[in-house]
């Protein structure tokens, strides 16, 4: 018999309030929302997934999924009721006060990741396309960490999702230090540059301009971070990271993104 699926990805929307250079969801909208599955059917699918795999994981996706709070928390609630583990990556712009942070820790996904492209304000804001995005993301992280301590709900994981590309990989050690020691998040998860989501148009400018990462240097830096912060990284994963950027460096038409 085939093993059951491990993950179910549930989209909330197709819009965003940032203007990220490496994503094009902000160029989309929910004009076809009338075609989306109604909540009743989504709830049925979540239950069917739980029947197939009682230890399954549900990823709440967007756009910026927290732009639709009712749908966002309905999915998280269903996951908790069905015994599924919920995951979510958000940009932090909707987590502005203690009340929202506490609701997320109590009622939201079991693992909340906030996107942060750098420990340097200017670099995050530049790549996210909105001045002030860094301060909102970091504020949200600190609110969540404080809320978790205050409520004593240790099972909720609070992570940072970092995009690694040519402009920030040399500073990765300081990035880890900022996330783990200053913010005191649980983990810095590395998401390496790839072609733009969906890619509207024929040229993927950000991917073409920012994929130039030295594989040897990157692996050296990650290995140093692994030893300094006790990350326990999988050496086979590190080999794959090296292979990925080595392959990119041999590409000839990367400006076409996924089309290449």
């Amino acid at each position: 018999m085939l093993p059951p699926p491990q993950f179910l990805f549930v989209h909330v929307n197709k819009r965003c309030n940032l203007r990220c250079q490496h994503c094009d969801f902000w160029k989309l909208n929910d004009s076809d929302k009338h075609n989306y599955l109604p909540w009743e059917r989504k709830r049925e699918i979540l239950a069917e997934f739980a029947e197939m795999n009682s230890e399954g994981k549900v990823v709440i996706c967007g756009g910026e999924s927290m732009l639709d709070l009712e749908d966002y928390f309905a999915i998280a609630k269903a996951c908790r009721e069905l015994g599924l583990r919920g995951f979510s990556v958000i940009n932090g712009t909707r987590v502005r006060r203690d009340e929202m942070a506490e609701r997320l820790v109590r009622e939201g996904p079991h693992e909340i990741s906030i996107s942060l492209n750098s420990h340097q304000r200017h670099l995050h804001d530049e790549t996210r396309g909105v001045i002030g995005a860094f301060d909102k993301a970091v504020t949200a992280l600190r609110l969540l960490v404080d809320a978790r301590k205050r409520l004593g709900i240790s099972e909720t994981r609070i992570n940072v999702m970092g995009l690694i590309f040519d402009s920030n990989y040399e500073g990765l050690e300081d990035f880890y230090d900022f996330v783990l020691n200053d913010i005191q998040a649980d983990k810095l998860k590395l998401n390496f540059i790839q072609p733009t989501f969906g890619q509207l148009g024929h040229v993927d400018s950000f991917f073409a301009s920012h994929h130039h990462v030295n594989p040897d240097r990157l692996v050296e830096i990650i290995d140093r971070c692994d030893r300094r912060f006790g990350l326990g990284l999988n050496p086979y994963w590190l080999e794959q990271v090296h292979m990925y950027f080595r392959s990119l460096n041999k590409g000839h038409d990367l400006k076409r993104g996924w089309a290449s």
Side-chain angles (χ1 to χ4, degrees):
M1 293 179 62
L2 291 174
Q6 298 297 305
F7 289 91
L8 175 66
F9 295 83
V10 183
H11 263 78
V12 172
N13 55 31
K14 295 189 299 185
R15 70 188 194 282
C16 186
N17 54 351
L18 296 184
R19 298 291 183 268
C20 301
Q21 297 181 38
H22 50 281
C23 179
D24 62 7
F25 263 118
W26 59 272
K27 298 180 182 179
L28 305 176
N29 56 53
D30 289 313
S31 60
D32 61 339
K33 192 170 184 176
H34 59 278
N35 290 323
Y36 295 2
L37 287 178
W39 166 244
E40 294 78 11
R41 181 58 186 135
K42 285 182 180 177
R43 181 68 168 76
E44 290 175 354
I45 291 173
L46 287 165
E48 292 165 3
F49 178 59
E51 288 181 6
M52 289 188 287
N53 186 355
S54 61
E55 297 181 352
K57 302 172 182 64
V58 174
V59 184
I60 305 174
C61 305
E64 172 48 41
S65 53
M66 285 195 72
L67 292 180
D68 293 280
L69 288 177
E70 184 177 339
D71 292 340
Y72 183 87
F73 280 106
I75 296 170
K77 180 181 178 182
C79 289
R80 289 178 178 270
E81 291 173 347
L82 293 165
L84 299 168
R85 188 164 180 82
F87 293 76
S88 173
V89 180
I90 59 177
N91 62 28
T93 57
R94 295 299 301 269
V95 188
R96 303 173 185 172
R97 290 180 290 276
D98 288 334
E99 293 79 7
M100 180 58 76
E102 290 185 2
R103 186 182 180 190
L104 269 171
V105 171
R106 286 195 312 264
E107 306 173 22
H110 301 87
E111 186 168 307
I112 304 163
S113 297
I114 292 185
S115 298
L116 190 66
N117 287 0
S118 175
H119 60 293
Q120 300 181 64
R121 178 180 286 101
H122 75 278
L123 191 52
H124 179 83
D125 284 357
E126 177 185 342
T127 54
R128 293 284 163 177
V130 174
I131 300 299
F134 175 89
D135 290 335
K136 289 179 179 178
V138 172
T139 295
L141 284 162
R142 296 194 192 282
L143 286 172
L144 286 167
V145 170
D146 288 345
R148 183 175 62 176
K149 292 178 181 177
R150 190 163 55 249
L151 297 172
I153 303 177
S154 58
E155 60 268 23
T156 299
R157 303 281 293 175
I158 299 166
N159 300 327
V160 169
M161 179 69 78
L163 179 72
I164 303 305
F165 55 103
D166 65 342
S167 300
N168 69 353
Y169 80 99
E170 289 280 0
L172 192 52
E173 190 168 357
D174 289 337
F175 195 5
Y176 266 109
D177 187 46
F178 179 68
V179 168
L180 300 178
N181 295 326
D182 189 330
I183 295 176
Q184 296 184 343
D186 295 308
K187 182 186 292 186
L188 170 58
K189 303 174 75 171
L190 305 185
N191 184 24
F192 300 99
I193 185 172
Q194 59 181 303
T196 299
F197 240 50
Q199 192 181 334
L200 299 175
H202 300 292
V203 176
D204 191 334
S205 301
F206 188 83
F207 183 64
S209 302
H210 293 283
H211 73 273
H212 302 284
V213 172
N214 183 313
D216 296 332
R217 178 65 175 152
L218 175 61
V219 167
E220 174 191 331
I221 293 170
I222 295 177
D223 185 60
R224 187 168 67 242
C225 292
D226 189 17
R227 286 182 276 108
R228 175 179 171 183
F229 300 104
L231 304 176
L233 298 178
N234 187 330
Y236 294 105
W237 169 80
L238 200 54
E239 290 177 9
Q240 292 168 356
V241 170
H242 189 275
M243 175 273 293
Y244 176 65
F245 282 105
R246 191 173 68 246
S247 300
L248 289 187
N249 288 341
K250 295 179 180 179
H252 300 293
D253 60 348
L254 295 183
K255 67 179 182 181
R256 296 174 61 230
W258 287 117
S260 68

